[in-house]
Amino acid sequence: MDYKIVIGLEVHVQLLTQTKLFTACTTEFNPDAPNTQTQPLCIALPGTLPVLNRHAYELAVKAALGLNCSIAKFTKWDRKQYFYPDLPKGYQISQYDMPMSFDGWLEVDDADGHKKKIRILRAHLEEDAGKNIHDESGRGEDSKVDLNRAGTPLLEIVSEPDLSSAAEARQYLDELRLIMQYLEVSDCNMQEGSLRCDANVNLHIVQEDGQIAPTPLVEVKNLNSFRNVEAAIDFEVERQLEEFQLTGRKWGDPGVMKETRGFDANRGTTFAQRGKEDAADYRYFPDPDLAPVTMTDEEIDAIRKTMCELPADRRERMRTVYELSDYDREVIMNHSPQLSDYFEETAKISGDGKQAANWVTQDVLRELNDRDLAIDEFPVRPVVLGAMVKKIVDGDLTVKSGREVFAALLETGLSGNSLSPATVDQIIEEKGLAVVKDTGAIEATIKEVLSRDQNAKSVEDLKGGKQQAAGPIIGQVMKEVKGADAKMVREMILKIVQDS
Amino acid sequence: MSILSTGAGELLAQLNRGEITSVELTQACLNQISQNDMNVGAFLHIDQDYALEQAKAVDNKRAAGESVGPLAGIPVAVKDVVCHKGQPCTCGSKYLKDFIPPYSATSIEKLQAADAVLLGRTNMDEFAMGSSTENSAFQKTHNPWKQDYAPGGSSGGSAAAVGSRMAPLAVGSDTGGSIRQPASFCGVVGMKPTYGRVSRYGLVAFASSLDQIGPFGTDVTGTAALLQALSGHDPLDSTSINKPTPDLLADLNQPLEGLKIGVVKEFQADGIDEDVISATDEAINVYRSLGAEIKDVSLPHARYGVATYYIIAPAEASSNLSRYDGIHYGHRAEEFKDLTDMYRQTREEGFGPEVKRRIMMGTYTLSAGYIDAYYVKALKVRRLIRNDYDDAFQEVDFIASPACPTPAFKIGELINDPLAMYLSDMFTLGANLAGIPGISIPAGMSSEGLPIGLQLLGPPLEEARLLRAARMFEQATDWHQKVPELVAQ
Amino acid sequence: MLSEDDIHKVAELARLNLSEQQISELRPQLSKLIDYVAVLEEVDTDEVEPMVHAIEQTNVFRDDIRSPPLPREGALANAPKTDGKYFLVPQIIEH
């Protein structure tokens, strides 16, 4: 059966503010000390009133600009009303018909490798709910409510249904996360719930008569990792296909409603959720406690000016300025803006982007992973790594010796000593790793090694043009002359054999 | 003249001059309460020790020559809808029977900063919904003039406390007339300021875009002093006006020159009590005699005020009262089937009939399919009503009318006819819809011996002039000096 | 006249357990109110912007600066049921 997958994503991103959206209460992630981060407003105590956090609004504008959205000149706040224990006011302050931004887009690569624009319908600000902790004993005991998170600022980003595969959805999310991280709008830490995703999925099935039959729309809620988003979409595609073959039910048929499903990460399956009661009737109305926000072009421009380079621009620069492979570039950029900064500094100091990228993507990332360190905690700073890489670039240090130096630097740094470019020289000196440029000494050693009985066969082979016979000889020479450049040794051996 | 029959303005002056002490005055109020409140029912909560402690502290401050606040030593009763840290705040509701706020309203902090003596918490219609104070879950409040009559509402406890001279000043809240109507019924001064003049932070919300805290007093001067203390921009309230409050007392005794007072054609409707009509005419004559020009003005959309109000207020209320869900504070039903049933049963038990009626009305008008026809429509008519007032104030300085179409009605008389009860707000609720200030001042007595109030409405932010106009009337009449029998002469 | 079904639906949205007697009282009362407020239909409001706020202000912000939270005991003090750490509610059934 021929069909097209239609996916729209709703992403909630927690903004990096000190305080909640409408009250001066801290937003720190602190699930181990429940209900210690509330103020009267967070508990919806009678008489409390919301006052908008300016920084949250500015971050939202920045994020929206990063998503190529238009910024509303006038926006207002609406109450979305429903009863739930994690929603103490009985309504969520959100934006209904006049969101603060709209009409944006992001680019992904489609299946043929072409750039594809994914339209963004809107991005609006709203407050987060608290957290319900369900009794899983099966004994029907009370659920628990923690309001630490209640009122944290969220940006809800709603895409048009332009995504056609799980892979595109993944790319969209990767790019969205990068934008938020590069703009320092959100840390998008999924473990801490600062990025959450709902996926709307259905299929457009081409029937025998050429007519398109859309399957009933499904919203998979609360996907807490990008992998789960992909898995949920893949599962839904199969499930909806099967269901359609079985029932023939179409979106738009009488009685067909949007279905809300959950995702079981252990099984990789989605499951039907009992619909939130009255889901269809949130009774949105403008919040009389909050003033609307207006923005002039000048104010929007002022925020635009505070924005750093967007990931798409940076990616382009990485390609042209540092001549990175696509692979290296994605590894660095997708890791974090901090690693990108780290790389760029290293590349600048060393004067060689490719060499720097090798060190960053292999050695630095390996150590970060092994030691569970964030890049900001990594003791070998770019000024030191760059100095070391420069020595390699200049031919003063071999790559192999560089590994030793790097290990020594790391050890020194981790034991609490401060590092500087001078430390690099010091380690090279101590370990005698400097490239020996005294060709006389190397030549003498080569001649001595060549004259060894054990090498007679190799010398014969070399004379006969078998260049690979140089290998064992290079090894022996290098053993004698520490810090010699293997490439140079190889060339000298060949020349000496030829000349003899 | 006894301490109790002395006006609030004069009491403030006497305190300032050291002629009376705060302890004497506070004790006199407490005595009046203990002798009469069993018949009036104005107060829900009195802490005598706390009141006297505050009074003593102010007296000590004065005695030590320290500077004191503008309300230093004067007792103020507070409607049980304004949060005061550590004190009960029931809002007249069973739901909040045991609720103790862990924070104070900005108004309470301002009163404390002004060195007022917080005397006690007054009865009210549940969540300020009502016009008779009969909707309190705890007790009925009786009109101090005639005890089988209602004191008005929803701030009936505050009005009755001032009317029976248990407190020279009181704080109320006014969403559709809930200060001005009971002030009129109890023969005291009551004022609703411009929306946003007094912070709503800590005022338990009924209808957020209409609610406003305001003062009651035995006279205009005391009322002005109380409003002065309550007013001012509050960064904790997004709807608070970010403009300095003018000095309300400086020129209070200076009569206004060239005053133009408007009389609203559309207010001359059927169903207005004869005594009220003649008292109002008489009051307008007083202004005429003081040199005011009296002009007819038109508020063409005034007749839609009650309908507009009874869509907007319940809609906002239905939302504001969603927080009473039995989880984070307040009442929880003991028996229920599951979570949803816990909500339903808790709210069923926690709320009285009028509150439920309004929640139902508001939920209906906001629900899918109806919101445009009712709620959005009402917001549009609201703008037309506001425009009418703006136009009228191009012609005149103030608008004069009865505060209410009738003097106080009997307890129980209207309780089963919500619409008739709502119509008693017809003259007052326009000011809430338009956000403008209004004041009710004692201006007559009915043939049955019940007070009648005159309402003056002014343009936004014109509280100082409005109070001056009220003071002109007060200086020319003696209605404000009349006290009910329970005030021992 | 509102139907009994209307009343039930609204009561469910508002989370009110109304008795049959309350419903039979509320039905005519609400119907009368709804009929009364229908008078607004006669006002021409085609060109009129809804008025949400009594005083129209825009851009009211506060700075992103923390103030102390309530102590947990204070946050939970008025709650009908807690375990000293959390608010407790009857089991939430999600699926």
Side-chain angles (χ1 to χ4, degrees):
Chain A
M1 205 165 3
D2 197 13
Y3 62 87
K4 199 180 132 202
I5 308 170
V6 181
I7 306 160
L9 296 180
E10 288 174 22
V11 179
H12 285 91
V13 168
Q14 182 183 325
L15 301 177
L16 277 174
T17 54
Q18 292 293 305
T19 67
K20 292 182 179 179
L21 187 52
F22 296 114
T23 185
C25 184
T26 176
T27 51
E28 260 175 277
F29 180 67
N30 193 2
D32 297 329
N35 295 306
T36 56
Q37 290 175 188
T38 69
Q39 288 184 344
L41 186 82
C42 312
I43 314 173
L45 289 179
T48 52
L49 294 171
V51 185
L52 179 59
N53 181 337
R54 181 196 309 274
H55 189 51
Y57 198 82
E58 287 170 354
L59 286 180
V61 170
K62 215 186 237 198
L65 289 172
L67 299 169
N68 305 298
C69 288
S70 302
I71 306 299
K73 298 280 175 65
F74 178 96
T75 187
K76 67 183 175 71
W77 307 95
D78 300 286
R79 295 182 179 180
K80 177 182 183 177
Q81 309 194 69
Y82 61 95
F83 287 91
Y84 212 55
D86 62 9
L87 189 72
K89 293 193 297 302
Y91 57 85
Q92 177 194 32
I93 303 176
S94 181
Q95 302 194 291
Y96 180 50
D97 54 345
M98 299 177 109
M100 49 89 46
S101 71
F102 49 88
D103 288 352
W105 52 265
L106 280 186
E107 261 178 357
V108 300
D109 293 323
D110 67 13
D112 304 324
H114 296 120
K115 291 279 173 217
K116 176 178 171 186
K117 263 190 187 167
I118 308 302
R119 291 168 301 156
I120 291 168
L121 177 67
R122 55 187 284 167
H124 70 256
L125 259 173
E126 62 185 28
E127 53 177 357
D128 204 349
K131 191 165 173 46
N132 294 327
I133 297 156
H134 308 297
D135 172 45
E136 275 159 10
S137 68
R139 290 192 297 271
E141 286 177 17
D142 286 345
S143 298
K144 300 168 174 184
V145 184
D146 173 13
L147 297 181
N148 280 356
R149 204 179 67 185
T152 298
L154 297 178
L155 189 67
E156 179 176 334
I157 302 157
V158 184
S159 87
E160 295 278 7
D162 289 350
L163 296 157
S164 316
S165 67
E168 283 183 15
R170 173 67 192 246
Q171 280 189 59
Y172 171 88
L173 290 169
D174 278 334
E175 187 66 10
L176 188 145
R177 186 187 61 186
L178 275 186
I179 293 171
M180 297 302 136
Q181 289 177 336
Y182 276 76
L183 292 177
E184 294 176 342
V185 161
S186 173
D187 61 16
C188 296
N189 183 332
M190 295 192 85
Q191 280 81 46
E192 295 182 2
S194 50
L195 189 153
R196 279 168 270 160
C197 181
D198 304 334
N200 286 290
V201 185
N202 75 341
L203 305 176
H204 285 181
I205 294 174
V206 183
Q207 292 178 296
E208 280 165 16
D209 58 3
Q211 296 275 339
I212 303 282
T215 56
L217 192 58
V218 167
E219 181 173 16
V220 189
K221 283 268 191 205
N222 293 323
L223 295 162
N224 57 9
S225 80
F226 289 180
R227 192 169 309 174
N228 287 352
V229 175
E230 290 180 280
I233 291 169
D234 286 338
F235 181 83
E236 269 305 304
V237 170
E238 293 306 315
R239 193 192 64 77
Q240 291 187 23
L241 261 183
E242 265 175 50
E243 190 180 86
F244 182 76
Q245 284 165 332
L246 216 61
T247 66
R249 281 189 352 135
K250 296 195 294 287
W251 181 239
D253 283 353
V256 169
M257 310 261 278
K258 182 170 165 176
E259 189 189 2
T260 301
R261 296 179 74 88
F263 180 70
D264 181 335
N266 295 323
R267 297 199 183 123
T269 58
T270 66
F271 56 86
Q273 274 183 333
R274 198 181 59 158
K276 242 182 225 172
E277 279 156 82
D278 321 316
D281 202 349
Y282 288 126
R283 289 160 288 137
Y284 279 102
F285 80 107
D287 194 326
D289 287 333
L290 284 161
V293 179
T294 60
M295 287 234 119
T296 62
D297 287 330
E298 292 71 31
E299 286 166 325
I300 295 168
D301 280 342
I303 294 177
R304 201 189 298 274
K305 286 205 183 91
T306 68
M307 288 167 67
C308 66
E309 189 180 30
L310 283 167
D313 300 327
R314 188 158 195 173
R315 195 173 282 129
E316 187 56 21
R317 201 159 51 81
M318 291 271 210
R319 201 174 63 76
T320 53
V321 176
Y322 300 109
E323 300 177 337
L324 293 195
S325 70
D326 288 356
Y327 178 80
D328 282 349
R329 190 190 62 206
E330 292 308 310
V331 168
I332 293 170
M333 288 209 35
N334 287 354
H335 182 279
S336 61
Q338 290 78 13
L339 191 71
S340 303
D341 294 343
Y342 183 97
F343 158 74
E344 281 206 54
E345 260 185 88
T346 309
K348 269 183 213 149
I349 294 166
S350 70
D352 186 328
K354 277 189 221 167
Q355 225 7 290
N358 285 341
W359 282 93
V360 170
T361 58
Q362 293 166 31
D363 303 78
V364 174
L365 276 186
R366 183 190 64 238
E367 296 297 337
L368 291 183
N369 286 338
D370 289 354
R371 296 169 195 275
D372 197 21
L373 288 173
I375 183 67
D376 295 336
E377 303 163 333
F378 194 64
V380 185
R381 303 311 305 159
V383 60
V384 175
L385 183 62
M388 191 199 88
V389 175
K390 185 164 189 329
K391 293 209 181 288
I392 295 171
V393 174
D394 291 348
D396 295 335
L397 188 67
T398 65
V399 171
K400 191 158 165 262
S401 304
R403 296 251 142 75
E404 251 182 87
V405 176
F406 181 75
L409 283 170
L410 187 55
E411 203 180 312
T412 314
L414 285 173
S415 52
N417 300 302
S418 67
L419 301 177
S420 73
T423 325
V424 177
D425 294 324
Q426 208 179 314
I427 292 172
I428 291 173
E429 165 99 40
E430 275 168 20
K431 296 194 180 270
L433 294 174
V435 168
V436 179
K437 289 191 172 167
D438 178 352
T439 49
I442 299 173
E443 201 175 318
T445 310
I446 291 174
K447 284 181 175 162
E448 188 272 316
V449 170
L450 287 173
S451 68
R452 290 177 188 170
D453 289 350
Q454 63 187 93
N455 292 330
K457 173 90 174 48
S458 301
V459 174
E460 276 313 300
D461 287 350
L462 275 172
K463 278 186 177 161
K466 268 190 171 174
Q467 296 209 349
Q468 61 267 45
I473 297 172
I474 296 170
Q476 293 169 50
V477 174
M478 299 285 284
K479 223 175 197 172
E480 301 287 324
V481 202
K482 275 196 181 141
D485 178 20
K487 207 171 139 202
M488 190 176 80
V489 170
R490 180 192 176 83
E491 278 161 16
M492 286 176 69
I493 292 171
L494 292 177
K495 188 153 181 293
I496 291 168
V497 171
Q498 249 165 29
D499 293 352
S500 65
Chain B
M1 197 153 56
S2 81
I3 195 165
L4 291 181
S5 48
T6 305
E10 176 58 22
L11 287 172
L12 272 169
Q14 290 180 7
L15 283 163
N16 270 326
R17 292 193 299 261
E19 292 165 19
I20 51 169
T21 66
S22 178
V23 170
E24 279 174 78
L25 176 55
T26 303
Q27 192 59 62
C29 291
L30 291 170
N31 292 347
Q32 177 72 352
I33 292 166
S34 61
Q35 283 159 27
N36 293 291
D37 204 39
M38 69 282 262
N39 299 322
V40 176
F43 285 87
L44 289 174
H45 179 74
I46 289 270
D47 183 341
Q48 296 217 18
D49 294 342
Y50 176 57
L52 287 169
E53 204 178 286
Q54 298 169 75
K56 236 173 254 157
V58 180
D59 285 342
N60 289 344
K61 247 173 142 177
R62 263 209 178 94
E66 290 172 40
S67 74
V68 290
L71 296 179
I74 196 154
V76 179
V78 178
K79 186 178 182 180
D80 205 23
V81 72
V82 183
C83 290
H84 182 165
K85 186 176 176 176
Q87 301 276 324
C89 184
T90 67
C91 300
S93 180
K94 185 179 166 193
Y95 186 91
L96 291 176
K97 187 165 75 71
D98 300 314
F99 175 65
I100 308 284
Y103 79 105
S104 280
T106 301
S107 287
I108 294 293
E109 292 188 343
K110 281 178 176 283
L111 290 174
Q112 288 172 329
D115 285 324
V117 171
L118 296 168
L119 188 62
R121 316 277 303 176
T122 60
N123 197 25
M124 57 186 283
D125 283 305
E126 183 178 8
F127 289 110
M129 297 178 195
S131 306
S132 66
T133 314
E134 291 165 282
N135 298 323
S136 166
F138 305 111
Q139 65 194 39
K140 297 240 187 310
T141 298
H142 302 266
N143 193 302
W145 294 82
K146 277 181 172 267
Q147 282 155 27
D148 47 346
Y149 283 75
S154 65
S155 313
S158 286
V162 176
S164 52
R165 299 303 192 263
M166 296 170 183
L169 296 173
V171 172
S173 67
D174 189 318
T175 305
S178 281
I179 290 174
R180 291 158 289 156
Q181 185 254 24
S184 166
F185 281 15
C186 294
V188 300
V189 180
M191 183 163 187
K192 182 203 97 76
T194 308
Y195 183 86
R197 180 64 93 189
V198 178
S199 168
R200 290 187 299 118
Y201 186 74
L203 166 68
V204 179
F206 159 16
S208 310
S209 79
L210 305 163
D211 293 343
Q212 190 58 195
I213 287 175
F216 286 95
T218 48
D219 60 18
V220 173
T221 308
T223 305
L226 179 52
L227 178 58
Q228 186 87 59
L230 292 168
S231 299
H233 177 243
D234 182 4
L236 296 175
D237 175 1
S238 303
T239 61
S240 165
I241 296 171
N242 197 355
K243 283 186 185 142
T245 311
D247 190 330
L248 303 178
L249 293 161
D251 300 323
L252 187 61
N253 293 324
Q254 299 297 312
L256 290 159
E257 305 274 333
L259 196 57
K260 284 186 204 147
I261 289 183
V263 175
V264 181
K265 284 188 284 196
E266 289 82 0
F267 281 177
Q268 284 141 45
D270 292 341
I272 302 174
D273 181 273
E274 285 302 320
D275 291 345
V276 170
I277 292 174
S278 52
T280 308
D281 289 346
E282 196 47 47
I284 285 165
N285 278 334
V286 170
Y287 276 110
R288 193 177 275 120
S289 72
L290 292 170
E293 182 188 341
I294 309 300
K295 288 180 76 170
D296 273 353
V297 290
S298 175
L299 299 173
H301 298 92
R303 57 185 295 247
Y304 304 111
V306 175
T308 303
Y309 179 87
Y310 278 97
I311 292 172
I312 294 174
E316 292 184 9
S318 72
S319 176
N320 286 332
L321 271 64
S322 293
R323 65 190 59 206
Y324 305 114
D325 60 5
I327 297 177
H328 308 98
Y329 45 82
H331 180 73
R332 179 185 292 187
E334 284 185 4
E335 297 201 6
F336 45 82
K337 293 198 286 281
D338 55 21
L339 175 64
T340 306
D341 197 45
M342 186 281 282
Y343 285 130
R344 292 195 208 104
Q345 199 53 35
T346 294
R347 291 163 61 79
E348 161 59 23
E349 293 172 10
F351 297 144
E354 179 62 20
V355 170
K356 279 183 245 181
R357 191 148 49 223
R358 298 211 197 184
I359 289 175
M360 289 289 289
M361 176 78 181
T363 304
Y364 178 77
T365 57
L366 285 178
S367 66
Y370 298 103
I371 178 162
D372 288 331
Y374 294 110
Y375 182 69
V376 177
K377 180 80 183 183
L379 291 182
K380 290 178 174 179
V381 179
R382 179 181 190 178
R383 185 173 298 281
L384 296 174
I385 290 171
R386 167 65 187 262
N387 292 347
D388 285 353
Y389 279 102
D390 286 347
D391 292 345
F393 289 127
Q394 298 292 316
E395 308 278 318
V396 295
D397 297 299
F398 305 110
I399 289 169
S401 75
C404 307
T406 63
F409 45 79
K410 278 195 169 146
I411 290 172
E413 189 180 329
L414 297 181
I415 198 69
N416 292 316
D417 189 351
L419 186 54
M421 184 81 91
Y422 297 170
L423 287 169
S424 80
D425 298 337
M426 60 190 287
F427 298 133
T428 48
L429 48 74
N432 301 78
L433 290 169
I436 60 174
I439 190 168
S440 174
I441 45 177
M445 296 297 278
S446 74
S447 49
E448 287 173 285
L450 287 161
I452 293 170
L454 176 77
Q455 175 180 253
L456 294 176
L457 301 176
L461 306 175
E462 290 288 349
E463 286 88 352
R465 284 169 52 85
L466 195 54
L467 284 159
R468 275 171 77 183
R471 179 74 181 126
M472 280 169 74
F473 184 83
E474 194 179 71
Q475 281 171 316
T477 60
D478 60 0
W479 298 111
H480 63 288
Q481 283 164 357
K482 299 207 179 304
V483 290
E485 277 172 25
L486 56 78
V487 181
Q489 293 296 319
Chain C
M1 184 86 162
L2 297 172
S3 71
E4 226 167 271
D5 192 47
D6 287 334
I7 302 281
H8 279 294
K9 242 177 68 190
V10 176
E12 187 48 40
L13 268 179
R15 294 288 187 276
L16 290 170
N17 246 359
L18 300 177
S19 65
E20 287 312 309
Q21 196 203 327
Q22 283 175 307
I23 289 173
S24 65
E25 279 169 20
L26 267 171
R27 220 179 125 205
Q29 286 174 344
L30 286 180
S31 300
K32 195 171 161 191
L33 276 174
I34 292 290
D35 288 346
Y36 176 77
V37 300
V39 68
L40 298 191
E41 281 168 26
E42 67 189 56
V43 187
D44 177 3
T45 53
D46 286 351
E47 305 293 313
V48 184
E49 276 294 306
M51 179 173 161
V52 174
H53 295 91
I55 297 292
E56 291 172 310
Q57 308 190 98
T58 57
N59 296 14
V60 181
F61 294 110
R62 72 184 163 78
D63 291 333
D64 187 24
I65 296 169
R66 289 175 184 168
S67 64
L70 287 170
R72 185 194 275 150
E73 313 81 75
L76 300 178
N78 285 290
K81 195 171 182 189
T82 79
D83 62 1
K85 281 185 171 177
Y86 294 95
F87 298 93
L88 296 184
V89 295
Q91 190 185 32
I92 301 167
I93 302 161
E94 293 230 303
H95 50 268

